[in-house]
Amino acid sequence: MNFKEGEVLYFDKPLRWTSFALVNKIRYHISRKLGVKKIKVGHAGTLDPLATGVMIICTGKATKRIEELQYQTKEYIATLQLGATTPSFDLEKEIDATYPTEHITREMVEETLKKFTGTIEQIPPAFSACKVDGKRAYDLARKGDNVELKPKTLVIDEIELLECNLPVIKIRVVCSKGTYIRALARDIGEALQSGAHLTGLIRTRVGEVRLEDCMQVDQFEEWLEKQEIEVTND
């Protein structure tokens, strides 16, 4: 392995970790192993702290591949709680409003999900890494500022209803870069004349990389010890 020339690693991001924290942890172990003060390490696509699953990490010269890797199709398993919303559209914030769900049936859910496949317009969540006048939207939202984001065009290839235990549903989503599953939960809730927020999210695939191909973070140090490391002088 040559981390300076560039390696692409696959991890299952732990719950409550930021994407940045995972990158930092990997950078720390690699730098220590190589005996260097710093090495380039980056990720190919953010995951929210409350999401888990596939995260691609690039090192050294492989960081040039980040943009290419980000554009790959992604697959998620999302659990939605119908009948309640939160400002962040997930469990980061407390429930701020409740809505009726008695009128919702499995058939209604299946019909509604069909409306979200194909090319759609989606307004990103205020609690997101999108930039507004050079600042991260989530920084403004957490301060209580009013955040207005423009709709983005994206593609949802597939939505499949996996479980329907109303008012909780579980769906599988295959989508393009830039899709916010939290925003999709919000929009599905509205389309069902109710509300919804995410209570669980797993990214199960990025391109050809699946969850079963990923390493657990706590295994990385031990795995690293077993690798033959090549060191190139800059």
Side-chain angles (χ1 to χ4, degrees):
M1 298 224 109
N2 192 322
F3 290 108
K4 282 191 177 176
E5 280 303 304
E7 298 291 345
V8 179
L9 307 168
Y10 312 138
F11 288 93
D12 179 0
K13 186 192 81 65
L15 186 67
R16 304 199 182 279
W17 282 45
T18 63
S19 304
F20 185 64
L22 179 56
V23 167
N24 265 355
K25 186 82 168 172
I26 303 312
R27 186 191 289 120
Y28 167 77
H29 284 305
I30 293 172
S31 301
R32 206 167 152 210
K33 179 76 176 170
L34 297 181
V36 296
K37 280 199 173 161
K38 61 177 185 177
I39 184 168
K40 266 190 174 178
V41 181
H43 66 74
T46 307
L47 265 180
D48 289 332
L50 294 176
T52 63
V54 180
M55 184 143 233
I56 298 179
I57 301 246
C58 300
T59 79
K61 291 178 185 172
T63 53
K64 291 176 183 165
R65 292 189 59 203
I66 282 175
E67 196 171 349
E68 161 215 333
L69 294 166
Q70 278 180 332
Y71 276 92
Q72 296 186 106
T73 300
K74 298 173 178 71
E75 180 185 73
Y76 296 89
I77 303 289
T79 306
L80 281 66
Q81 171 81 44
L82 305 178
T85 55
T86 75
S88 57
F89 313 142
D90 65 6
L91 295 174
E92 184 189 329
K93 294 287 177 185
E94 298 288 318
I95 288 170
D96 61 356
T98 56
Y99 302 86
T101 57
E102 295 77 18
H103 62 286
I104 301 171
T105 62
R106 185 190 179 101
E107 292 69 35
M108 191 177 168
V109 171
E110 286 175 339
E111 285 306 308
T112 300
L113 293 181
K114 285 178 192 169
K115 295 173 189 168
F116 288 94
T117 51
T119 302
I120 66 164
E121 295 282 307
Q122 184 186 76
I123 298 171
F127 287 82
S128 68
C130 293
K131 287 196 172 176
V132 182
D133 301 328
K135 293 177 181 172
R136 295 287 185 193
Y138 55 65
D139 288 333
L140 298 169
R142 282 176 187 137
K143 278 189 212 160
D145 293 353
N146 192 27
V147 180
E148 283 191 32
L149 294 167
K150 293 184 173 72
K152 291 188 176 182
T153 303
L154 42 94
V155 178
I156 295 187
D157 298 308
E158 294 175 57
I159 300 188
E160 180 189 1
L161 182 62
L162 299 177
E163 291 175 24
C164 188
N165 302 308
L166 294 168
V168 176
I169 62 170
K170 189 178 276 191
I171 59 174
R172 183 179 68 88
V173 182
V174 179
C175 57
S176 66
K177 175 189 185 291
T179 307
Y180 281 94
I181 306 296
R182 287 181 289 131
L184 183 63
R186 168 201 65 200
D187 297 342
I188 289 169
E190 285 177 9
L192 290 165
Q193 286 116 42
S194 184
H197 64 282
L198 275 190
T199 57
L201 183 64
I202 307 165
R203 185 153 72 194
T204 48
R205 181 169 64 83
V206 176
E208 297 302 311
V209 181
R210 298 184 173 276
L211 201 50
E212 50 267 34
D213 305 322
C214 295
M215 203 182 320
Q216 301 301 319
V217 186
D218 55 9
Q219 297 169 347
F220 182 61
E221 194 176 2
E222 188 185 334
W223 175 86
L224 198 55
E225 286 305 313
K226 294 174 184 169
Q227 303 310 305
E228 281 189 34
I229 309 288
E230 286 178 52
V231 180
T232 47
N233 295 318
D234 292 331

